[in-house]
Amino acid sequence: MTTNLAIIQMDIAYGDPAVNRRQARTHIKEAVAKGGEVILLPEMWTTGYDLSRFDEIAETLDGPTHQLLAELAENHQVTIASSIAEREGEDFYNTFVVYDKNGECCMKYRKAHLFRLMDEEKYLKSGDQQGNFQLGETPVAGVICYDIRFPEWIRTHMLEGARGLFVVAEWPKSRVAHWRNLLISRAIENQCFVIACNRVGADPNNEFGGHSIVVDPWGTVVGEAGENEEILMVEVDFSRVEAIREQIPIFQDRRPDLYK
Ligand SMILES: NC(=O)CCC(=O)C(=O)O
């Protein structure tokens, strides 16, 4: 059985959640019209990296963005995954949230590795829980941008059974070669699908690289966007993971007596 992915590679209005929510509503409806069943948006798509104004623009997980995503997921019977700027009390997080077909938030993952080059550690708290979740019958995981540079963190999710890795990002154009190679490497070494959504456009500090991408468990790029706004549609069959893991059984051949 296959799954139709819709990856919304969009620009982000800096520090303007209302504009971004309007844009996202339009893009999500377009993705549904194209047959998308699982819809992915970029990292912190409601705010961008306007971190110094998070006291004003971040929101609790029952705020207007939660209401929008829950409404669209339930009305269109789709799964919607992305990260948003979360406020909890006086603390702020970069939080991956997944809304299922019932409009329920079925997963919350707070970015574990804060990215210093974009000042995350000055404004955000890091998370310490994994991002595993069920996509129907398929165990998968979600992580955020800089997290993909930590193969041991990704492997931790795979050891819980994940067959697919969803990645949301605001990854600058200057390092887009790292973006592609890291994602392809995570797919090969974990024999899983990697489904990654980057933003496009620019903010006062960075120009972003697009190249949202889907990589299969063999490391083959099965879909890739360019450098402009687009909805990347890719159909995947998660059952291909088992065949590849039988062909080269890395999870059976691991040596936990030597390493974790
Ligand atoms: N938003 C991010 O975490 C960016 C990570 C990044 O650009 C990198 O090179 O790593």
Side-chain angles (χ1 to χ4, degrees), residues 94-106:
N94 182 346
T95 303
F96 191 114
V97 286
V98 179
Y99 288 84
D100 65 19
K101 296 177 180 177
N102 301 314
E104 297 295 324
C105 180
C106 61

Side-chain angles (χ1 to χ4, degrees), residues 43 49 111 115 118 120 144-146 149 169-172 175 178:
E43 176 181 18
Y49 271 77
K111 189 172 184 179
F115 192 54
M118 292 166 73
E120 284 192 320
I144 305 173
C145 213
Y146 185 42
R149 287 188 183 271
E170 292 199 34
W171 198 284
R175 297 189 295 277
H178 289 193

Side-chain angles (χ1 to χ4, degrees), residues 10-167:
M10 62 187 268
D11 195 354
I12 294 173
Y14 192 62
D16 195 335
V19 166
N20 290 317
R21 279 193 289 269
R22 279 199 298 275
Q23 295 288 348
R25 178 185 287 273
T26 301
H27 292 320
I28 289 170
K29 289 189 172 184
E30 287 167 13
V32 170
K34 291 173 180 281
E37 297 168 305
V38 178
I39 298 172
L40 198 57
L41 294 100
E43 176 181 18
M44 289 209 293
W45 61 270
T46 56
T47 58
Y49 271 77
D50 194 358
L51 298 169
S52 65
R53 293 183 50 240
F54 267 28
D55 195 45
E56 185 186 335
I57 58 177
E59 59 188 287
T60 55
L61 292 189
D62 59 359
T65 301
H66 161 82
Q67 290 159 30
L68 171 69
L69 296 176
E71 170 210 324
L72 292 172
E74 185 178 17
N75 290 354
H76 298 292
Q77 289 293 287
V78 295
T79 299
I80 304 174
S82 65
S83 99
I84 65 169
E86 179 197 2
R87 176 191 197 112
E88 184 179 66
E90 293 309 305
D91 297 327
F92 301 108
Y93 299 90
N94 182 346
T95 303
F96 191 114
V97 286
V98 179
Y99 288 84
D100 65 19
K101 296 177 180 177
N102 301 314
E104 297 295 324
C105 180
C106 61
M107 188 276 251
K108 178 177 100 172
Y109 162 73
R110 290 167 167 172
K111 189 172 184 179
H113 301 90
L114 300 179
F115 192 54
R116 296 173 192 278
L117 221 50
M118 292 166 73
D119 288 339
E120 284 192 320
E121 84 291 355
K122 293 176 183 164
Y123 298 94
L124 305 181
K125 284 197 138 184
S126 58
D128 57 11
Q129 301 298 314
Q130 293 179 207
N132 294 82
F133 67 101
Q134 284 293 125
L135 188 61
E137 299 299 309
T138 306
V140 293
V143 295
I144 305 173
C145 213
Y146 185 42
D147 286 328
I148 66 172
R149 287 188 183 271
F150 301 86
E152 58 272 46
W153 185 230
I154 305 306
R155 175 55 54 87
T156 301
H157 291 76
M158 297 297 139
L159 293 174
E160 297 284 321
R163 290 335 189 230
L165 179 71
F166 289 85
V167 182

Side-chain angles (χ1 to χ4, degrees), residues 204-215:
N205 304 304
N206 285 293
E207 185 179 2
F208 295 95
H211 283 278
S212 299
I213 196 169
V214 178
V215 190

